[in-house]
Amino acid sequence: MLLRLSTLFVRTLREDPADAEVASHRLLVRAGYIRRAAPGIYTWLPLGLKVLAKVEAVVREEMEAAGAQEVHFPALLPKEPYEATGRWTEYGPNIFRLKDRKGGDYLLAPTHEELFTLLVKDLYSSYKDLPLTLFQIQTKYRDEARPRAGLIRGREFVMKDAYSFDVDDAGLEASYQAQRDAYRRIFDRLGLEYVIVAATSGAMGGSRSEEFLTPTAIGEDTFVRSAGGYAANVEAVTTVVPDAIAYDDAPQAHVEDTPDTPTIDSLVALANAQHPRPDRAWTAADTLKNVVVALVQPSGERELLVIGLPGDREVDLKRLEAGVAPAEVETAGDADFARHPELVRGYIGPSVLGPNGAEGSVRYLLDPRVVEGSRWITGANEQGRHVFDLVAGRDFTADGTVEAAEVRAGDPAPDGSGPLELARGIEIGHIFALGRKYASALGLTVLDQNGKAQVVTMGSYGIGVTRVLAALAEANHDERGLAWPAHVAPAQVHVVATGKDEAVFEAAESIAQTLHSRGIEVIYDDRPKVSPGVKFADAELLGVPLVVVVGRGLAEGVVEVRPRVGGTAEQVAVAEAADRVAELVDSLR
Amino acid sequence: MLLRLSTLFVRTLREDPADAEVASHRLLVRAGYIRRAAPGIYTWLPLGLKVLAKVEAVVREEMEAAGAQEVHFPALLPKEPYEATGRWTEYGPNIFRLKDRKGGDYLLAPTHEELFTLLVKDLYSSYKDLPLTLFQIQTKYRDEARPRAGLIRGREFVMKDAYSFDVDDAGLEASYQAQRDAYRRIFDRLGLEYVIVAATSGAMGGSRSEEFLTPTAIGEDTFVRSAGGYAANVEAVTTVVPDAIAYDDAPQAHVEDTPDTPTIDSLVALANAQHPRPDRAWTAADTLKNVVVALVQPSGERELLVIGLPGDREVDLKRLEAGVAPAEVETAGDADFARHPELVRGYIGPSVLGPNGAEGSVRYLLDPRVVEGSRWITGANEQGRHVFDLVAGRDFTADGTVEAAEVRAGDPAPDGSGPLELARGIEIGHIFALGRKYASALGLTVLDQNGKAQVVTMGSYGIGVTRVLAALAEANHDERGLAWPAHVAPAQVHVVATGKDEAVFEAAESIAQTLHSRGIEVIYDDRPKVSPGVKFADAELLGVPLVVVVGRGLAEGVVEVRPRVGGTAEQVAVAEAADRVAELVDSLR
């Protein structure tokens, strides 16, 4: 492949696009790899398409090596299968819906569990047909509320989705591991750092799921890990629950005036000053904060919920949403409070909530740290008053517990492997042991050895292919531009001819042709009237791993060969240039 | 590639699918290449996907050889660019429309002229940047009123669409020819017979267009050709207009009672009996039939139109629609006639139509054969009466002419190359010299040598990739199944092991492995408990070009090698089988 910049359909931009928040987005647009067509919807220009094809090829090869067979489903699908599993409703506004000319309901598929299940049901009927893993590399659609960061959260994007079908749990485990191993090989080959973290299954359902995250400060997902090897998405972290506390000797609860305590800090200060605890000082962790939120079901139904948690922690909305999926969480508004006059803002306490309150009380869920016997300062449901020494289990109960409190660095890992540290990452893969949810809903059974129908157990495995490309750009760039790893770069060598000397262009052409004839992919900057400065800047922006400069040195019989990043420039005799470059290309592979 | 039927995700069907009207649809479903997901929307199974990839590869190679650069546009697009060119309205119910969560209007693109135009406008600004041809291989959507014939008329389908950009007409002509030549190479390489016919541009606009049709009795398109080399889609055939006739000696028009003449034949019989023409007998071609239709604009506006044409011809609705695009044609109904009492059904004549009638008369268009001086028998606008010797140009005029009359075998070719014959075909490609329509609407200009802004001139070039695959299946099958040409077949060799003898399976495995190691694509039917009859039937249904049968002959040291179609079976020594098969595979390429 030999691409000449004089004719290649690319234009580099000196200015960052106005809507670009992250480096990958900024640089992919500036270097002419992609172009925005609508919010979260991108056009692929020739260079971008070449990189995308290389990423897809790695994914496809490893899927096939893992025994998965490629198929291809439509993106435009009728609603019926998604209704059968409940997802037509659960997805709420997150999918694109449309009607055809006959009024039939359709969607643009965000993922294809239903269709794969129906296809296997259509073709297979015996345990002897299994195990089976199918995959596709296909365009997917999600109507994201906030498309952002270019390809990282788009509304039309390319995904590799695979689905496994097994007769029993052991089979599912083997299929799951085969995909997990294939994912490791894919990201290893792409040179993309990754962490595998325990995750929640959310609307997908299923017993177990893990995410592949690539660590980066601009990541949307927060994850935790311990020195002892625990790793999880924050949504999946479970709280280490303290033991219950004996409360036989606990003082009786007592309501106190607490004027001028608009914050937890001021409340704690007043408590220590006016109602000191004999054994130690009160801290924010001794206050029980009751946070009101509204749950909105996909059907639109709205319900208030109060979360009780220690005052030193905030509610983490993403953790809460993972716990209440498919409902979404909104802030409670004036109208909500107007319907519940028992909720005195700033002074809400357990006695009016859930099982403690009157008929029709707002549902009340507690952080798992609020164990039986724990003592709290909390709202007394009156302006300017709090209740002290309120003991969980003795003075109040709740409708259950919820993992909604923020996870903090230093919290203990649930498996006892030490304190957690927090980091951010981009989700590049997600694997689910789905179990029998979809097969049950859609009636996918096979006959077992005894001729008895068995519901098939499934896994589903996704890689965001376009997002992986963005993650690669995120991990491989500097302030001057992209810096692709050789195996995904649009070309391995970028030959630059500078000046106006015809001999320079002839020598550069000859080197480019020689490399091309050896199967090396070459971009050749043969533009006649472009300054060396612009050509060098473009080479750095495009990010091809090796740059060959043919220019003034040619008078002394040398050309310059330099890596895009690291290493140093070499002066190479023009006659040996192609050999030396080929050698360097080999060393990059 | 070695695909084992014991694990390959395919199931052949003995029964035709209920909705399959044509062989390609029937066989692609029965052989497990595709599967219906919704009307006009198909899933690709592994074998189908392999054939599709091969067709796409040929298209891609020839596009690149013609200098076109590959890009990839989204399928989900905002309406604004399509509004700017008027196509948002013109497409009417033929496109899928949807709203995103913010209420923005989107469509699933049926073709991408607007987006390519805007992209080039975005990146290019000088005549020096041109010529440019871009292409994509991409999923397209049309909400067909009647999806049919499987992949031939689908609602989600794969298209290769290319677009050329030039400064001047000569440039467009060169770009057009380069694509036309590439199309010829593509269909030649695919072994698909084709005819290039003149076509109308329809809603696409532009000055000139040609269709590539593959002749087949099940084709939806009728085309004509002459022995002298003329070829056209029926919509594009222009009538050979007779010379005007001197009418100085023509008799005056006279109205006559014509009772009991419900048909043209009965009218002609009455005319010859009661009002004979002195020079020769009246024929149906001497009657002027006035047909009322309703034109429905994409905006929904409805207008009546009367077409006057010789009574021996019918109106061809497709030809009429091509002439009035983007309007659609409907039959006029009772409500239409109620609003125009001057239209006496069965007796409509020119005197109340168009320029001959009163203010507000229905528009009147004539077949081009109704030349000045021609004499007609036609309706007198009274029940049971006709007017005779009505002379065009003397007694009536019209608002214009229209190509709406059917084309018949034997009609003269417009270029004088002899009588036309009619045939049917499937449209597999369509190329358009668009001119400046899209560039003007969207403001795509470049600066010319003198620094003056010039509107760019464009071409657009489409191949229905999935339809081409169906056309290949249509052209390559027999009653037993598919019979792919080697270069698009999912594999070149289908090895069948029959019986239960382990030695048979070992020998078959060895042959399959040897061929595989030589780079030959092999399907190996290794299913242990399937009868030879079923295996042979499946081999014929799947349609791989060479079949190798390892079975009873093995005891005598031979295997059978037979082509899927034509040729004869050979008995080959087992040790030489791989060599002989490889030789035959080479001969197929």
Side-chain angles (χ1 to χ4, degrees):
Chain A
M1 187 201 77
L2 171 53
L3 301 174
R4 293 166 193 281
L5 284 188
S6 61
T7 52
L8 183 66
F9 186 60
V10 65
R11 282 294 177 272
T12 55
L13 307 175
R14 294 287 158 249
E15 302 293 321
D16 288 337
D19 62 337
E21 308 152 36
V22 301
S24 58
H25 184 192
R26 207 167 65 227
L27 293 172
L28 288 169
V29 171
R30 280 188 45 205
Y33 283 67
I34 60 170
R35 201 93 187 160
R36 199 184 87 131
I41 301 177
Y42 288 84
T43 300
W44 292 83
L45 304 192
L47 291 178
L49 204 53
K50 282 181 203 303
V51 178
L52 185 59
K54 291 187 181 191
V55 175
E56 286 185 6
V58 170
V59 172
R60 180 173 284 115
E61 281 167 28
E62 293 299 338
M63 280 296 115
E64 289 178 348
Q69 301 186 52
E70 187 168 2
V71 299
H72 196 90
F73 275 88
L76 177 63
L77 292 172
K79 80 166 168 186
E80 287 72 17
Y82 289 83
E83 246 185 352
T85 58
R87 295 210 293 182
W88 174 258
T89 310
E90 279 172 23
Y91 273 117
N94 296 309
I95 55 171
F96 290 102
R97 298 157 197 270
L98 65 157
K99 284 187 188 290
D100 74 356
R101 66 194 294 154
K102 293 184 174 158
D105 282 308
Y106 283 76
L107 59 84
L108 297 180
T111 172
H112 280 75
E113 279 73 12
E114 285 80 355
L115 274 282
F116 275 82
T117 306
L118 288 173
L119 182 64
V120 173
K121 179 183 176 182
D122 218 8
L123 267 67
Y124 277 4
S125 57
S126 161
Y127 74 97
K128 287 183 249 173
D129 298 329
L130 304 182
L132 170 72
T133 299
L134 300 173
F135 79 101
Q136 62 176 346
I137 296 178
Q138 198 250 7
T139 304
K140 297 260 182 301
Y141 296 87
R142 290 197 193 155
D143 196 0
E144 294 284 352
R146 285 169 296 278
R148 65 173 283 275
L151 302 176
I152 292 175
R153 183 163 293 278
R155 299 199 294 169
E156 174 174 320
F157 52 96
V158 178
M159 237 178 93
K160 184 288 298 175
D161 44 331
Y163 304 86
S164 67
F165 300 86
D166 283 277
V167 192
D168 54 29
D169 295 351
L172 170 56
E173 180 59 25
S175 297
Y176 184 93
Q177 285 300 334
Q179 282 289 310
R180 193 177 192 270
D181 292 346
Y183 276 41
R184 299 181 64 121
R185 286 193 302 272
I186 288 166
F187 298 127
D188 286 344
R189 282 181 61 182
L190 291 173
L192 199 54
E193 194 195 340
Y194 62 90
V195 183
I196 305 177
V197 304
T200 51
S201 298
M204 194 69 81
S207 56
R208 174 187 173 195
S209 92
E210 290 174 294
E211 278 180 18
F212 288 71
L213 296 174
T214 187
T216 162
I218 63 105
E220 295 190 293
D221 291 297
T222 306
F223 68 97
V224 300
R225 46 184 164 183
S226 74
Y230 176 81
N233 194 310
V234 280
E235 287 88 336
V237 175
T238 50
T239 302
V240 177
V241 180
D243 291 333
I245 301 164
Y247 52 83
D248 297 344
D249 302 334
Q252 283 307 301
H254 46 107
V255 173
E256 306 290 350
D257 286 332
T258 53
D260 303 324
T261 54
T263 64
I264 290 190
D265 284 349
S266 57
L267 174 63
V268 170
L270 179 144
N272 280 320
Q274 300 184 10
H275 311 284
R277 182 171 163 145
D279 52 343
R280 59 170 174 78
W282 297 104
T283 70
D286 295 313
T287 66
L288 179 65
K289 176 160 66 178
N290 292 298
V291 177
V292 188
V293 297
L295 296 192
V296 183
Q297 300 295 338
S299 61
E301 193 196 325
R302 187 181 176 90
E303 180 207 7
L304 284 197
L305 176 69
V306 175
I307 317 282
L309 75 168
D312 62 335
R313 292 193 185 248
E314 301 298 328
V315 168
D316 178 331
L317 284 180
K318 282 180 131 182
R319 274 171 57 78
L320 174 56
E321 282 197 335
V324 299
E328 291 188 358
V329 176
E330 289 183 3
T331 323
D334 290 342
D336 294 313
F337 283 102
R339 269 193 298 277
H340 288 278
E342 79 274 20
L343 302 179
V344 181
R345 283 204 238 193
Y347 300 91
I348 298 169
S351 66
V352 300
L353 301 172
N356 315 297
E359 178 85 16
S361 294
V362 174
R363 191 150 64 100
Y364 188 38
L365 297 177
L366 288 172
D367 182 77
R369 289 172 192 84
V370 187
V371 291
E372 188 176 350
S374 56
R375 279 164 64 189
W376 303 94
I377 304 174
T378 188
N381 302 306
E382 294 176 62
Q383 281 292 340
R385 307 193 80 192
H386 280 87
V387 58
F388 284 64
D389 295 318
L390 199 73
V391 173
R394 182 189 73 182
D395 302 325
F396 68 98
T397 57
D399 295 299
T401 61
V402 65
E403 290 285 2
E406 60 179 325
V407 175
R408 290 199 305 228
D411 284 350
D415 65 353
S417 62
L420 296 175
E421 60 171 42
L422 270 71
R424 299 187 72 81
I426 299 171
E427 180 189 336
I428 48 176
H430 203 159
I431 55 178
F432 296 88
L434 293 174
R436 298 181 170 81
K437 169 178 169 173
Y438 294 89
S440 295
L442 297 164
L444 169 58
T445 61
V446 291
L447 297 181
D448 67 12
Q449 291 94 319
N450 308 314
K452 223 185 112 196
Q454 297 288 354
V455 176
V456 168
T457 181
M458 292 169 53
S460 122
Y461 316 94
I463 289 181
V465 178
T466 39
R467 187 185 279 183
V468 161
L469 185 149
L472 281 166
E474 207 57 58
N476 297 281
H477 75 273
D478 57 24
E479 71 285 1
R480 301 191 306 278
L482 297 161
W484 296 108
H487 45 289
V488 296
Q492 285 91 51
V493 182
H494 187 125
V495 178
V496 178
T498 66
K500 295 177 185 173
D501 190 347
E502 237 178 70
V504 163
F505 282 82
E506 277 165 24
E509 173 83 32
S510 162
I511 292 169
Q513 289 284 4
T514 307
L515 293 171
H516 169 53
S517 69
R518 293 193 191 175
I520 293 171
E521 295 166 319
V522 180
I523 292 177
Y524 171 31
D525 194 344
D526 60 340
R527 292 175 292 176
K529 286 175 186 167
V530 174
S531 76
V534 168
K535 288 189 172 183
F536 295 150
D538 279 349
E540 301 206 296
L541 185 53
L542 296 188
V544 167
L546 283 173
V547 181
V548 178
V549 181
V550 187
R552 274 187 221 157
L554 192 65
E556 283 81 54
V558 295
V559 302
E560 184 177 285
V561 180
R562 60 190 189 208
R564 165 65 182 84
V565 282
T568 46
E570 299 174 28
Q571 304 297 318
V572 180
V574 65
E576 287 149 30
D579 284 343
R580 177 62 185 144
V581 170
E583 200 175 276
L584 288 168
V585 167
D586 278 345
S587 74
L588 291 171
R589 275 171 177 158
Chain B
M1 189 200 76
L2 171 53
L3 301 174
R4 293 165 193 280
L5 284 189
S6 61
T7 51
L8 182 66
F9 187 60
V10 64
R11 284 293 177 273
T12 55
L13 307 175
R14 296 288 157 249
E15 301 293 321
D16 287 338
D19 61 337
E21 308 152 35
V22 300
S24 58
H25 184 192
R26 207 167 65 226
L27 293 172
L28 288 169
V29 171
R30 279 188 45 203
Y33 283 67
I34 60 169
R35 200 93 189 161
R36 198 184 89 132
I41 301 177
Y42 288 84
T43 300
W44 292 84
L45 304 192
L47 292 178
L49 203 53
K50 282 181 203 302
V51 177
L52 185 59
K54 291 187 181 190
V55 175
E56 286 185 6
V58 169
V59 172
R60 180 172 284 116
E61 283 167 27
E62 293 299 340
M63 281 296 115
E64 290 178 348
Q69 301 186 53
E70 187 168 3
V71 298
H72 195 91
F73 274 89
L76 177 63
L77 292 172
K79 82 166 166 186
E80 287 73 17
Y82 291 82
E83 244 183 355
T85 58
R87 295 211 292 183
W88 174 258
T89 309
E90 279 172 24
Y91 273 116
N94 296 309
I95 55 171
F96 290 102
R97 297 158 197 269
L98 65 157
K99 284 188 188 290
D100 74 356
R101 64 194 293 154
K102 293 182 174 159
D105 282 308
Y106 284 75
L107 58 84
L108 298 180
T111 170
H112 280 76
E113 278 74 11
E114 285 81 354
L115 273 282
F116 275 82
T117 307
L118 288 172
L119 181 64
V120 174
K121 179 183 177 184
D122 218 9
L123 266 66
Y124 278 3
S125 57
S126 162
Y127 74 97
K128 288 183 250 173
D129 298 328
L130 303 181
L132 170 72
T133 299
L134 300 173
F135 79 101
Q136 62 176 347
I137 296 178
Q138 200 250 5
T139 304
K140 297 261 184 296
Y141 296 87
R142 288 195 195 157
D143 197 0
E144 294 284 352
R146 287 169 294 278
R148 65 174 283 274
L151 302 176
I152 291 174
R153 184 163 293 277
R155 300 198 295 168
E156 174 174 320
F157 53 96
V158 178
M159 238 178 92
K160 184 288 298 175
D161 44 330
Y163 305 86
S164 68
F165 300 86
D166 283 279
V167 192
D168 53 30
D169 296 351
L172 170 55
E173 179 59 24
S175 297
Y176 183 93
Q177 285 300 334
Q179 282 288 311
R180 192 177 193 273
D181 291 346
Y183 276 41
R184 298 180 66 119
R185 286 193 302 272
I186 288 167
F187 298 127
D188 285 345
R189 281 180 61 181
L190 291 173
L192 199 55
E193 193 194 341
Y194 62 90
V195 183
I196 305 177
V197 305
T200 51
S201 298
M204 194 69 81
S207 56
R208 173 187 174 196
S209 92
E210 290 173 294
E211 277 179 20
F212 287 72
L213 296 174
T214 187
T216 162
I218 63 105
E220 295 191 292
D221 293 296
T222 306
F223 67 98
V224 301
R225 45 184 164 183
S226 74
Y230 175 81
N233 194 313
V234 279
E235 286 88 336
V237 176
T238 50
T239 302
V240 177
V241 180
D243 291 333
I245 302 163
Y247 52 84
D248 298 344
D249 303 333
Q252 284 306 301
H254 46 106
V255 173
E256 305 289 351
D257 287 333
T258 53
D260 303 323
T261 55
T263 63
I264 292 194
D265 284 349
S266 57
L267 173 63
V268 169
L270 179 144
N272 281 322
Q274 300 183 10
H275 312 283
R277 182 171 163 143
D279 52 342
R280 59 168 174 81
W282 297 104
T283 69
D286 295 312
T287 66
L288 179 65
K289 175 161 68 176
N290 293 298
V291 178
V292 188
V293 296
L295 296 193
V296 183
Q297 300 296 336
S299 62
E301 194 196 326
R302 188 180 175 92
E303 179 207 8
L304 284 197
L305 175 69
V306 174
I307 318 281
L309 75 169
D312 62 334
R313 292 191 187 250
E314 300 299 327
V315 168
D316 178 331
L317 284 180
K318 281 179 132 182
R319 274 170 59 76
L320 174 56
E321 283 197 334
V324 298
E328 292 188 358
V329 176
E330 290 183 5
T331 323
D334 289 342
D336 293 313
F337 283 102
R339 269 194 298 277
H340 288 279
E342 78 275 20
L343 302 180
V344 181
R345 284 202 238 193
Y347 300 91
I348 299 170
S351 66
V352 300
L353 301 172
N356 315 298
E359 177 86 15
S361 292
V362 175
R363 191 149 66 98
Y364 188 39
L365 297 178
L366 288 171
D367 182 78
R369 291 172 190 83
V370 187
V371 291
E372 187 175 351
S374 56
R375 278 165 63 189
W376 304 96
I377 304 172
T378 188
N381 303 305
E382 294 177 62
Q383 281 291 342
R385 306 194 80 192
H386 280 85
V387 57
F388 285 65
D389 294 319
L390 199 73
V391 173
R394 181 189 74 179
D395 302 325
F396 68 100
T397 58
D399 296 298
T401 61
V402 65
E403 290 286 2
E406 61 180 324
V407 175
R408 290 200 302 229
D411 283 350
D415 65 354
S417 60
L420 296 175
E421 61 171 40
L422 270 70
R424 299 188 72 80
I426 299 171
E427 179 190 337
I428 48 176
H430 203 158
I431 56 180
F432 296 89
L434 293 175
R436 297 180 172 81
K437 168 177 169 175
Y438 294 89
S440 295
L442 297 164
L444 168 58
T445 62
V446 292
L447 298 181
D448 67 12
Q449 290 94 321
N450 307 314
K452 223 185 113 196
Q454 298 288 355
V455 176
V456 168
T457 181
M458 292 169 52
S460 120
Y461 316 94
I463 288 181
V465 178
T466 38
R467 187 186 279 182
V468 161
L469 186 149
L472 281 165
E474 207 58 59
N476 298 280
H477 75 272
D478 58 25
E479 71 285 1
R480 301 190 306 278
L482 298 161
W484 297 108
H487 45 290
V488 297
Q492 284 92 51
V493 182
H494 187 126
V495 177
V496 178
T498 66
K500 294 177 185 175
D501 190 348
E502 237 177 71
V504 163
F505 282 81
E506 277 165 24
E509 172 83 33
S510 162
I511 291 170
Q513 289 284 5
T514 306
L515 293 170
H516 169 54
S517 69
R518 294 193 190 175
I520 293 171
E521 295 166 318
V522 180
I523 292 176
Y524 170 32
D525 194 344
D526 61 341
R527 292 176 292 176
K529 287 177 186 167
V530 174
S531 77
V534 168
K535 288 189 172 185
F536 295 151
D538 280 347
E540 301 205 297
L541 186 53
L542 296 189
V544 166
L546 283 174
V547 181
V548 177
V549 181
V550 186
R552 273 187 223 158
L554 192 66
E556 283 82 54
V558 295
V559 301
E560 185 176 282
V561 179
R562 59 187 191 210
R564 166 65 182 84
V565 282
T568 46
E570 300 175 27
Q571 304 297 318
V572 180
V574 66
E576 288 149 29
D579 284 344
R580 177 61 185 143
V581 171
E583 199 175 277
L584 289 168
V585 167
D586 277 346
S587 74
L588 292 171
R589 276 171 177 158

